[in-house]
Amino acid sequence: MWWFQQGLSFLPASLVVWSAASFVFSYITAIVLHHVDPLVPYISDTGTIPPERCLFGIMLNISAFLGAATMYVRYKQVYALNPEKSKIIKLNKIGLTLGLISCFGLCIIANFQKSVLYYVHVVGACLTFGVGAIYMLVQTVLSYLMQPEIHSKDVFWIRLTVLLWCSSSIASMFVSSLVLYSGLYGTNLVQKLHWDPEEKGYTAHIISTVSEWSLAFSFLSFFLTYIRDFQKISLRAVVSLHGRTLYNTPQSFVADEQTLLTAGSI
């Protein structure tokens, strides 16, 4: 049995590979069509102009679905491992809520392009990476609370390291973007897709774009730490039939005819 066939480890693996592919394919398409500069453009700029915009949108929507599924499985796993620890249960619920908000933000990024509705796109980015960073923090705290009984200390330290990587990328991108869009280097830079290295503000632009790519891949790297955990879990769906046909039947017969079917692991 291959490693990705064990439990639900294919979920976080699929999330990371698919999301990375959505960035890379859009980037390659935009470069080939000369829509952006080859040297580290903004990720959003690689999904601004058709046809890469269409590819970027549909792939990120699928990433949002995979992300929500991964976060839900993580929630169920933590709950099953700690059924009587109220502190962990509360943090776990908070983590799931934050994770789903982050996935919703990814849908906003996918469907509201930077060049069309800039401020809506920024809101989506803040939900995805800002709220997503808090989700990572909650999961790191949960890892701390569950070690060494549930898993080793190494898992906690790896997640803490990725969290610090993500946080430093957010700080770097925030500061460089403030400098870039402060008005010192001109106006309407948001719509600018091509930069000359001799232009003022180019250094701030490069720092900002590198920070964005670093942030995206630090975020994805966090889910790589779920693969080993997900090898230890599977979910089962239970289908409840309230009758042997789809016709309306008296309530008394419904109770007698109720049948449970177990639909294998998913």
Side-chain angles (χ1 to χ4, degrees):
M1 180 180 292
W2 295 92
W3 61 269
F4 57 84
Q5 293 177 300
Q6 299 178 30
L8 293 173
S9 58
F10 69 90
L11 259 182
S14 300
L15 169 61
V16 173
V17 172
W18 184 269
S19 299
S22 68
F23 300 148
V24 173
F25 289 165
S26 298
Y27 170 78
I28 293 174
T29 305
I31 293 300
V32 169
L33 297 176
H34 304 290
H35 291 163
V36 296
D37 297 323
L39 184 59
V40 201
Y42 281 115
I43 295 176
S44 297
D45 287 347
T46 65
T48 296
I49 302 175
E52 61 266 24
R53 180 171 72 183
C54 308
L55 180 67
F56 186 77
I58 192 170
M59 292 190 73
L60 280 192
N61 280 320
I62 295 174
S63 292
F65 171 77
L66 291 173
T70 300
M71 292 169 181
Y72 176 74
V73 172
R74 174 63 179 173
Y75 163 78
K76 296 294 288 185
Q77 183 179 46
V78 172
Y79 181 82
L81 291 170
N82 305 273
E84 299 179 355
K85 297 181 180 180
S86 59
K87 184 176 182 180
I88 291 180
I89 291 174
K90 289 179 181 178
L91 278 176
N92 195 30
K93 290 180 179 178
I94 293 172
L96 177 63
T97 302
L98 293 171
L100 294 179
I101 292 174
S102 178
C103 292
F104 176 69
L106 190 59
C107 287
I108 294 177
I109 290 176
N111 296 288
F112 295 89
Q113 286 75 31
K114 176 182 176 182
S115 60
V116 180
L117 291 171
Y118 173 71
Y119 291 106
V120 177
H121 186 85
V122 170
V123 169
C126 290
L127 290 177
T128 301
F129 297 112
V131 177
I134 302 175
Y135 169 81
M136 292 168 60
L137 174 61
V138 171
Q139 292 300 324
T140 303
V141 172
L142 285 171
S143 297
Y144 174 78
L145 295 175
M146 291 191 296
Q147 56 88 33
E149 294 84 3
I150 305 298
H151 54 62
S152 67
K153 294 182 179 180
D154 293 341
V155 174
F156 162 70
W157 286 112
I158 291 172
R159 287 174 182 163
L160 179 60
T161 301
V162 177
L163 174 62
L164 293 176
W165 173 18
C166 176
S167 301
S168 61
S169 298
I170 289 176
S172 175
M173 183 177 177
F174 179 75
V175 173
S176 58
S177 296
L178 278 182
V179 173
L180 181 62
Y181 299 120
S182 62
L184 296 174
Y185 306 112
T187 58
N188 201 32
L189 296 180
V190 171
Q191 308 297 336
K192 190 176 179 66
L193 298 179
H194 297 278
W195 286 78
D196 187 333
E198 303 299 324
E199 286 183 279
K200 292 182 178 180
Y202 182 76
T203 300
H205 166 72
I206 289 296
I207 294 174
S208 180
T209 56
V210 169
S211 298
E212 184 185 49
W213 281 90
S214 175
L215 171 59
F217 281 97
S218 68
F219 196 73
L220 293 180
S221 296
F222 191 84
F223 293 100
L224 289 177
T225 67
Y226 283 1
I227 292 177
R228 187 174 180 183
D229 293 350
F230 277 37
Q231 289 177 336
K232 308 297 183 181
I233 184 175
S234 60
L235 297 182
R236 300 179 70 86
V238 177
V239 179
S240 178
L241 295 179
H242 298 275
R244 298 185 183 278
T245 69
L246 299 181
Y247 293 104
N248 292 327
T249 56
Q251 194 65 29
S252 59
F253 290 102
V254 171
D256 295 334
E257 295 181 355
Q258 186 173 10
T259 305
L260 292 179
L261 297 177
T262 302
S265 299
I266 59 173

